[in-house]
Each structure stands twice: as structure tokens, then as C-alpha cells.
Amino acid sequence: MATENRINFWRRNAKVPGSVQPVYGAQHPPLDPRLRRTYPKETKPKFNNLKSKKASSFHEFARSTNDAWDIDEEEDEDFLSTPAPTLSSPSGHHSTSTQDQVATILSFSTVSTDIELAPPSTEALDFQDVQEEDAEYWEHVNGKVVRSSSDAHLNMSSVRSSLQKQQSLPVRPIIPLVARMSDQNASGAPPMTVREKSRLDKFKQLLASPNTDLEELRKHSWSGIPREVRPITWRLLSGYLPANKERRELVMKRKREEYFGFIEQYYHSRTDEHYKDTYRQIHIDIPRTNPLIPLFQQPAVQEVFERILFIWAIRHPASGYVQGINDLVTPFFVVFLSEFVKDVENSEVAALPLDTQRNIEADSFWCMSKLLDGIQDNYTFAQPGIQNKVKALEELVSRIDEDIHNHFKRYEVEYLQFAFRWMNNLLMRELPLRCTIRLWDTYQAETEGFTHFHLYVCSAFLIEWRKEILSMVDFQGLLMLLQNLPTIHWGNEEVGLLLAEAYRLKYMFADAPSHYKR
């Protein structure tokens, strides 16, 4: 029966998932893992006790279920709070919230939470409200009323079904996103310890030598690159700059001039008939790139991203622009911006000197191009690179943890339904940006880090949630979990453990084909 359902699903869906359709639900950070551990036993939501009809295929699930975290122009998802001003949804609707409207709240089907970009001092969240009022589900989180939106014409039976469905979703708290974007540990460790100072000195010594030993630099970079030397180290490890110190300035100047030569030569053609669809898609996707981080909503930053992506697309006609490539610019942009400003999260890019802006843009373009040169088959027609990587992930997980593999088979969950995004976006939509930057330190230090080693990172990442996965006993619950994994409070420590596990798996399976395949 499971095999027949999968065959019928792919017959109904001839298009490769993600190749044309946008990747939904990935624009927003995952959920707070500490929420899952703060419920008393008697009030813990029954995530597995869904009374609604079980979806028999991913196709039916996609048609009948809205992504709880997606902000879409067609949906009226207002973010409301009692003391704060009302925020408008993309469609422009406004509404208010009081405790008198509890009955109205129960008729909503999609949970959405008021997100505030709180300062670092508010990082410690008060979860007592969630514990005490979970049974009623219209919790006050830090004084905010959790609201949602839905069809106003639901009858009472659908209201009860909707409420049960809401209770299966964790509550997203008020998260200090911007304050947490900086390079720091989740434990709140000081920015510079004795060990870190010693490592920084080693990096400076390597970089100051007339000819930098790239192998030694990779060895030191594997466990993380100090923030002060990360920009120059990334330029070297990506192949953008030569190891010879005397040639670096000359090469950097020439490459920057070459990039802006492309801008003068090609950027005006964005309105031409041949390129207007490409530019239109880029123009739509840019505001969706990290929409909750104000830095990426600045017009100057969005214009930079548009130029970078458009020039790359027309210089690589085999793939052109594909959704997901826009995410790959952000780590480079943030790292190179940090070279000129101390407070990256709250910096005003337009206020920087024009030459500085141009240098950041050109360096981001070339380093992103170097990265994509190694994974371009992920974005060519039918995206064969991603298809092969997802298949390899399935084979690897079947060997590493047969329980998880059989659990997916039992509930008809295909790896392509969740791992496609992991490969397409290099886990950028599953992890906070600060974690992505730390992860890329190791990827650039590894041979084939963005291709081969990424497979083992994805495997380790999946096994990390083993307990949560096995606790879900329905198709919808599994998909919702895998698309909203709670990593919002991850830091360098968690990423370091993930990479260590990935290295262990690579050591065990990479050179053992008989263990890798059945």
C-alpha cells in the first residue's frame, strides 16, 4: 500500500519538488527547544493525538495544511500584542486583540506569534505562562496573546478540529533574533578566552607569512575561525585570493574591478525580454531572505543582492538563477561586512563609504561564485546533484539508524520531502545564521566540504532529533517536525558537536563502500 501511494504521488507530481515551486516555511527560524522541556507532564500537549483525518500522501498533506511559519501575500497572518502597536500583514489587514475575543481566537486555524527583536538583556525568556495556560492554548507569551488567522465561516465541529490541530504545534516565543546573530556560544561564554586568544595568534601568524600554508590554515580552521580573521581566511580558503601575501592586494583589486565591469556591461539588460523573468524572480526572492533580520531588509543591502544574483545568473546559463541561491550570499555578506563594522546586526550599510560597500559586494560575489562552482549540478535542469545527495542520505541513514529509516517507511515519509531543502540551501534554513557561519568555517576547511562532508552533517543532524522523530506517529506530525526543527538557540557548542558526529560518520562510512550501501 505504501509503495502504491508513493507511485501515485509521483505520477500526480511530475515536477521535481523545489525546482520551480518556492520552498515554504523556511524563511523563519525554527522553534525554541527549551519550550519542549518546560511543560509539566499533566499539561504537556498531545502532539500525537490528532483527531483529524490522516493524510495518506504528501500531496494531500500539502493541499490541506498551511505552513504555520510562512508569511504569504495571500494569507492574513496578523502579529498582535496587547500593549504594543498592531503590525500589519502583507495583505494590509489590521485587527486588535483583547481577552474578550477568546471565542474568536478559537476559530483560527494557523498559529502565528508576535515576534520582537528584543535586546540581548531579554534573552532569558519567561516560560511560566506557557506552562500554566497551555490547556487553553491561547497563551500569553511574555504578555503577548498568541493569535492566528483562518476562514471566518468555520462551523463548530471544524473549530474543535482546528483547536486540536493547533495543540499539535509548539508555540514560538519572542526571540531576540538580531542580538543572537553574532558569533557567540549558546552558553553565553565570553567573546575571548585564553584558548581563543592563543588560536587567534596562530591564525595571525599563518596569515602574516609571505606564503600562507593553506593546509595548515585548513587544519586550524576546522574547529572554527576567530571572528577577527574570518574575512581574510574565507577569501583564502575559497580560492578567491592567492596564498602569496604580496599578490593578494593586486588580485583583489583586479577582481573587484572585473565584477563592476560586469555590472556596467550586463546589469542594464535586466529589463530585456530575455532576462526579465530571471530578474523578476530575484526581485521577489530578495525580501524573503532572512525577513526577520532588519539588516537584510535595508534597500541598499537588497540592491547589492539583486546585482550579485543577476550577474551570477547570466554568467551561468546552464543553471541560471534558482530559488535557494539567494540564501548562499548572506554568510559571505555578513562576514565581509564584519571587517568594516563592529555591530553587524545594527549597522546601516548605506552609511558606509561607497568604496567599502563596493568591496563587500564584489568579494561576496566572487566567494559565492567559487562555492557554486563546486555544487552547480544542484541547480541545473532537474537538479541531479540534489537528487543524488538525497538518495545517498537515505542509504546512509538506513545503515546508521535503521529505526528512523523504518519509521519513515512506516508513515510514508520520503526523504526528498524534507532533505531536498537541506541540500538545496545547505541547512541554512534549518539553522540560525550565526550557526551557518560557524558551519561554513569547517566546510571551507574540509576537502569537498559543501558536497561530500555536507552529506554526513545532514545525517548527523537528522539523528540529533531521533527521540522527537520516533515520538511522532503520523505523517503530518513528522513533516511539521522536520520542517521546523527547534534550533533557534543553537550556538558554536551545538554546531561543534554536530560536526564531530559528522566527522565520526565520515570516518566510518566514507572509505567503506560495503558499509555504505546494502
Side-chain angles (χ1 to χ4, degrees):
M1 180 64 185
T3 303
E4 183 180 352
N5 284 340
R6 286 195 294 271
I7 293 174
N8 291 334
F9 165 72
W10 293 116
R11 285 175 179 170
R12 294 194 299 267
N13 296 268
K15 298 180 180 178
V16 178
S19 59
V20 177
Q21 297 294 329
V23 182
Y24 293 110
Q27 306 151 6
H28 309 284
L31 307 175
D32 188 345
R34 293 180 291 184
L35 276 180
R36 299 179 292 109
R37 301 181 177 91
T38 57
Y39 291 105
K41 291 183 179 179
E42 63 273 11
T43 61
K44 184 174 181 179
K46 300 297 187 295
F47 292 114
N48 306 329
N49 189 25
L50 290 179
K51 302 299 183 181
S52 58
K53 182 180 179 181
K54 174 185 171 184
S56 61
S57 71
F58 179 68
H59 179 68
E60 297 176 15
F61 169 67
R63 288 190 306 172
S64 62
T65 306
N66 293 326
D67 195 321
W69 316 127
D70 193 28
I71 297 180
D72 195 284
E73 290 84 352
E74 298 177 358
E75 295 182 16
D76 180 18
E77 295 183 328
D78 295 335
F79 296 84
L80 302 175
S81 61
T82 303
T86 301
L87 299 179
S88 60
S89 68
S91 58
H93 296 284
H94 299 267
S95 61
T96 59
S97 172
T98 66
Q99 295 185 4
D100 299 337
Q101 295 174 307
V102 175
T104 305
I105 294 175
L106 296 180
S107 68
F108 295 122
S109 63
T110 305
V111 179
S112 55
T113 309
D114 187 5
I115 300 297
E116 287 186 352
L117 301 179
S121 60
T122 63
E123 188 174 319
L125 301 175
D126 181 10
F127 299 112
Q128 190 64 32
D129 292 336
V130 180
Q131 294 177 349
E132 294 176 353
E133 301 181 11
D134 178 66
E136 301 179 33
Y137 200 73
W138 49 279
E139 302 91 8
H140 290 267
V141 183
N142 282 6
K144 309 294 184 188
V145 179
V146 177
R147 289 294 308 272
S148 54
S149 59
S150 172
D151 189 354
H153 303 290
L154 292 175
N155 55 34
M156 288 306 295
S157 62
S158 62
V159 168
R160 286 191 295 270
S161 175
S162 174
L163 182 57
Q164 291 170 350
K165 183 176 178 181
Q166 289 177 359
Q167 291 172 336
S168 71
L169 301 175
V171 179
R172 186 168 49 171
I174 299 173
I175 301 164
L177 282 173
V178 176
R180 295 281 302 180
M181 197 179 81
S182 59
D183 185 15
Q184 59 183 341
N185 289 331
S187 61
M192 182 66 71
T193 63
V194 175
R195 178 179 177 274
E196 288 170 345
K197 188 177 186 306
S198 175
R199 293 188 71 246
L200 177 59
D201 292 340
K202 291 180 181 178
F203 272 92
K204 288 181 176 179
Q205 184 179 357
L206 278 170
L207 296 170
S209 62
N211 287 284
T212 301
D213 186 341
L214 294 181
E215 285 303 314
E216 193 69 16
L217 186 63
R218 287 190 179 94
K219 186 186 301 182
H220 284 84
S221 300
W222 204 98
S223 56
I225 303 171
R227 178 171 179 159
E228 293 83 355
V229 295
R230 182 176 277 137
I232 182 63
T233 304
W234 276 28
R235 292 187 185 103
L236 288 167
L237 294 182
S238 66
Y240 172 42
L241 291 184
N244 185 279
K245 186 177 180 181
E246 292 183 356
R247 295 182 54 223
R248 288 175 196 166
E249 284 299 325
L250 183 62
V251 170
M252 199 151 47
K253 180 181 178 182
R254 176 172 58 83
K255 298 296 282 185
R256 288 168 176 173
E257 290 175 352
E258 185 179 355
Y259 168 70
F260 283 101
F262 294 151
I263 295 291
E264 294 177 6
Q265 185 176 357
Y266 298 115
Y267 194 60
H268 64 84
S269 65
R270 64 190 182 278
T271 56
D272 293 354
E273 186 69 25
H274 186 65
Y275 296 121
K276 68 177 183 180
D277 288 341
T278 297
Y279 178 73
R280 177 182 175 276
Q281 188 60 58
I282 292 172
H283 188 71
I284 291 173
D285 288 346
I286 292 302
R288 300 173 178 173
T289 305
N290 294 302
L292 298 180
I293 300 179
L295 172 67
F296 299 108
Q297 302 309 307
Q298 296 179 23
V301 175
Q302 294 186 355
E303 290 170 7
V304 167
F305 279 36
E306 285 184 1
R307 287 193 293 268
I308 289 174
L309 294 172
F310 181 76
I311 296 301
W312 188 90
I314 65 175
R315 294 188 73 245
H316 297 80
S319 63
Y321 173 75
V322 178
Q323 286 179 321
I325 295 179
N326 56 305
D327 288 327
L328 305 184
V329 186
T330 56
F332 292 113
F333 183 83
V334 168
V335 167
F336 297 143
L337 178 62
S338 69
E339 192 173 20
F340 301 98
V341 297
K342 194 169 185 179
D343 185 7
V344 174
E345 292 84 351
N346 301 307
S347 62
E348 185 66 37
V349 174
L352 295 173
L354 183 59
D355 286 345
T356 298
Q357 297 181 45
R358 289 166 63 90
N359 292 343
I360 295 171
E361 179 177 347
D363 292 354
S364 299
F365 170 81
W366 286 115
C367 287
M368 186 199 74
S369 297
K370 291 289 186 180
L371 163 61
L372 289 171
D373 286 346
I375 58 172
Q376 192 171 354
D377 62 341
N378 285 6
Y379 306 105
T380 54
F381 178 73
Q383 299 177 274
I386 293 179
Q387 303 279 351
N388 293 334
K389 290 182 178 71
V390 171
K391 181 63 177 175
L393 176 66
E394 181 176 358
E395 293 175 353
L396 185 57
V397 172
S398 69
R399 285 299 191 181
I400 297 171
D401 196 320
E402 195 170 3
D403 289 342
I404 288 181
H405 183 70
N406 291 334
H407 194 69
F408 286 157
K409 290 177 66 177
R410 178 181 179 184
Y411 295 103
E412 303 179 19
V413 174
E414 299 287 347
Y415 284 77
L416 198 64
Q417 293 165 358
F418 63 89
F420 183 91
R421 190 169 80 188
W422 296 9
M423 304 300 176
N424 189 61
N425 302 90
L426 299 177
L427 287 177
M428 283 196 61
R429 297 189 176 183
E430 324 312 318
L431 298 171
L433 182 55
R434 65 186 176 276
C435 294
T436 297
I437 291 173
R438 168 62 190 91
L439 187 67
W440 283 23
D441 287 346
T442 300
Y443 279 5
Q444 300 202 70
E446 271 280 337
T447 303
E448 298 182 324
F450 290 98
T451 53
H452 189 62
F453 188 64
H454 180 66
L455 169 66
Y456 296 96
V457 171
C458 288
S459 301
F461 187 65
L462 183 64
I463 303 305
E464 171 73 18
W465 310 103
R466 184 181 196 275
K467 181 179 178 181
E468 291 81 357
I469 289 171
L470 296 179
S471 69
M472 292 292 176
V473 292
D474 66 282
F475 179 85
Q476 292 188 12
L478 280 166
L479 261 295
M480 290 299 293
L481 171 67
L482 292 167
Q483 291 176 358
N484 297 280
L485 290 167
T487 61
I488 188 58
H489 286 286
W490 274 32
N492 287 351
E493 294 174 359
E494 290 80 1
V495 175
L497 292 172
L498 178 69
L499 289 167
E501 177 65 13
Y503 183 81
R504 185 186 71 85
L505 295 176
K506 178 189 173 187
Y507 184 80
M508 291 176 59
F509 292 94
D511 298 321
S514 60
H515 290 273
Y516 181 71
K517 296 182 179 180
R518 292 185 180 278

